[in-house]
Amino acid sequence: MVVLDGKALSTTIKNEIRIEVDQIIAKGDRPPHLAAVLVGNNPASEAYVGNKVRSCEQVGFSSTLIRRPETTTEEELLKIVSDLNEDADIDGFIVQLPLPSHINEEKVTLAINPHKDVDGFHPLNFGRMAQGLPAYLPATPQGVLLLLERNGIETSGQHVVIVGRSNIVGTPLGILMSRKDKMGNATVTITHSRTKDLAAETKRADILVAAIGIPNFITADMVKEGVVVIDVGINRIDDPTRKSGSRLVGDVDYDQVAPKSKAITPVPGGVGPMTVTALMLNTLKARKKEIRY
Ligand code: L34
């Protein structure tokens, strides 16, 4: 069994990005600049955005964190988005989700200039991705593909079973892995809460992706021997033995499933750091205006 170490790989890739940034600066150009908008005080969002800002420092990017209270109106947020769209010093930006319930996430996403949409959440980027055209790819699916690629895991001809159909993970990952492209050419099954016999589906997976948001949902009886397991879930559960009172677990029961797996991602330290690193790659692409349309 191989542990797919997302934390170590993200350090490697960030060092590669750093070399490119140093070259940009050596030419007398400015480094890439990412902005992140964080509305409210969701502790998970705070941690994720904190990791993004820290990663910017590690790769030599400029970063701007725009924090606004939970009470921010949709109109105020749309004004921030419009200002970032106009700001020539900002190569790309993200609005961290989820947003407070009084703000329409779809409206905010649509307001982002697709050329600065380093999250790849704008329908224009999503549609272009689905058609195999140059586009910003969403960070978590891109991070998963990088983790597979850099660990020499073949996807062509493999049966990939994805549990979860969200707009930011399950659906785009299914599209990317079934496309005729690098890290594609897989036969993809997308399963969800209405799937009739879930275990029958997951047991057929050569590569199983869990992205449902339910702690320890995938158990040993649901996978075949030799499966590659990608655990996208990050769930905080109570643990009185920790001084924080809690710990992070994935959607996969790691202790049970790992012994049956050929390779498996840990939580934390698996897909999460790769998501952040994929965002750094998109921001570098934005600085280099690599995605043209
Ligand atoms: N706009 N909203 C927007 N873009 C995104 O790409 C995200 N996502 C998801 C939630 N909302 C978003 C993230 O940034 C999930 N996500 C994310 C980012 C980083 C990590 C996990 C999810 C991460 O760094 N995980 C660490 C542990 C972090 C902790 O201690 O809580 C890990 O090792 O898995």
Side-chain angles (χ1 to χ4, degrees), residues 239-253:
D239 183 351
T241 71
R242 301 285 178 104
K243 57 176 183 291
S244 64
S246 69
R247 73 188 154 99
L248 296 178
V249 298
D251 291 348
V252 177
D253 189 328

Side-chain angles (χ1 to χ4, degrees), residues 33-200:
H33 188 170
L34 174 72
V37 184
L38 178 55
V39 181
N41 311 296
N42 178 322
S45 296
E46 301 252 6
Y48 304 159
V49 171
N51 286 348
K52 293 173 184 183
V53 170
R54 204 165 327 116
S55 289
C56 280
E57 286 161 19
Q58 290 164 352
V59 298
F61 293 179
S62 309
S63 69
T64 298
L65 174 55
I66 300 171
R67 301 196 58 139
R68 289 293 182 272
E70 189 79 22
T71 51
T72 303
T73 65
E74 185 177 279
E75 196 187 352
E76 285 165 335
L77 183 56
L78 289 170
K79 172 73 167 82
I80 293 169
V81 167
S82 146
D83 289 347
L84 290 168
N85 284 341
E86 299 300 318
D87 188 340
D89 279 341
I90 302 289
D91 299 296
F93 67 96
I94 66 158
V95 177
Q96 188 71 18
L97 303 180
L99 290 168
S101 55
H102 63 273
I103 298 179
N104 183 337
E105 288 183 354
E106 188 193 344
K107 204 164 165 185
V108 173
T109 304
L110 276 170
I112 296 172
N113 177 347
H115 294 97
K116 293 193 173 189
D117 171 36
V118 285
D119 260 335
F121 289 175
H122 191 286
L124 187 67
N125 280 312
F126 194 99
R128 292 182 59 89
M129 171 206 65
Q131 296 188 340
L133 298 168
Y136 290 105
L137 303 184
T140 301
Q142 197 185 336
V144 169
L145 296 185
L146 275 168
L147 200 53
L148 293 170
E149 183 186 11
R150 296 285 196 111
N151 283 283
I153 294 166
E154 178 70 64
T155 58
S156 180
Q158 299 295 293
H159 190 176
V160 175
V161 178
I162 299 171
V163 188
R165 55 180 156 185
S166 73
N167 285 337
I168 69 170
V169 185
T171 298
L173 188 61
I175 292 169
L176 289 167
M177 296 195 77
S178 55
R179 289 202 59 84
K180 188 171 186 169
D181 204 345
K182 198 172 64 170
M183 305 321 287
N185 291 307
T187 304
V188 175
T189 300
I190 296 190
T191 67
H192 44 73
S193 51
R194 304 282 179 94
T195 296
K196 235 185 257 163
D197 185 352
L198 182 64

